[in-house]
Amino acid sequence: MINYQRELDGILETINDSKLLLHACCAPCSSYCLEYLSGYFDIYVYFYNPNITERNEYNVRKEELIRFINNYPFNKKVYYIDGEYEPDKFFSMAKGLETCKEGGERCHKCYELRMRSAAQKALELNCDYFCTTLTISPLKNSQVINQIGFNIEKEYGVRWLPSDFKKKNGFKRSIELSSEYGLYRQNYCGCVYSK
Ligand code: SF4
């Protein structure tokens, strides 16, 4: 098993005046990742989550993220970037995988769908790296997420920033920040199959 938190630490020591595209799944997960990474990068926070089945839920998660970004006292620049809401893309990806257990093949493809879009956006915005908040979740396999990230890096030519944000008490800190900022914390991942 690779320690991706250690890999991230190594890269952060070399960072100087760089721009990061951070794919964000929701405000609670983003809170710690942003607090941590904004010590090193100017960040474009990209909300792209076609996996969220209900429009109302999608809007609430997005608004909470914007509220956190507008209220947290960051040292560096942090910009919000609105992705398209494309549930059809999620459902065509999930075809035939509806009964997969959470954390299985459907989820791996779901991470990839969102991370590919993040890499494309990183290229458009001329970012030095792309990354995702998804590795903060204790329910998501960071080995799989980082492997997908490195594959996309090869394909698109934009550097993947490896992570395992749940380490160093990252998940615990995200709960503290959520409570401090009164952030809405959903009790399911996002798609209809996880509800
Ligand atoms: S459970 Fe979560 S990660 Fe898995 S497919 Fe549904 S939204 Fe995507």
Side-chain angles (χ1 to χ4, degrees), residues 145-159:
I145 295 169
N146 281 288
Q147 200 47 63
I148 294 170
F150 283 119
N151 290 344
I152 295 174
E153 171 184 285
K154 276 193 217 123
E155 211 180 307
Y156 287 68
V158 55
R159 273 178 290 180

Side-chain angles (χ1 to χ4, degrees), residues 21-140:
L21 189 295
L22 175 69
H23 163 259
C25 60
C26 64
C29 291
S30 304
S31 62
Y32 164 74
C33 302
L34 282 170
E35 179 178 71
Y36 178 34
L37 296 172
S38 64
Y40 301 91
F41 297 95
D42 286 339
I43 305 178
Y44 291 88
V45 185
Y46 182 48
F47 187 77
Y48 178 72
N49 296 293
N51 54 310
I52 303 170
T53 302
E54 290 160 347
R55 182 87 207 205
N56 190 46
E57 177 72 21
Y58 179 89
N59 288 340
V60 171
R61 292 191 196 186
K62 171 172 128 172
E63 292 308 322
E64 285 293 86
L65 176 61
I66 295 170
R67 188 167 69 79
F68 179 76
I69 292 171
N70 289 339
N71 284 293
Y72 189 91
F74 296 111
N75 286 329
K76 293 199 173 258
K77 292 181 187 130
V78 175
Y79 307 98
Y80 172 78
I81 306 289
D82 204 21
E84 292 288 311
Y85 181 48
E86 305 176 315
D88 291 356
K89 283 204 177 161
F90 172 79
F91 283 114
S92 20
M93 174 286 290
K95 225 172 173 104
L97 302 172
E98 294 86 349
T99 56
C100 282
K101 276 202 295 196
E102 193 163 334
E105 193 185 348
R106 186 190 65 241
C107 297
H108 299 176
K109 292 202 158 157
C110 176
Y111 312 151
E112 185 175 347
L113 177 67
R114 293 184 272 169
M115 289 162 67
R116 277 185 181 277
S117 177
Q120 263 158 357
K121 193 52 80 178
L123 282 174
E124 258 173 66
L125 295 170
N126 217 12
C127 290
D128 302 287
Y129 289 90
F130 78 106
C131 184
T132 179
T133 56
L134 293 172
T135 65
I136 200 168
S137 167
L139 298 174
K140 294 184 171 64

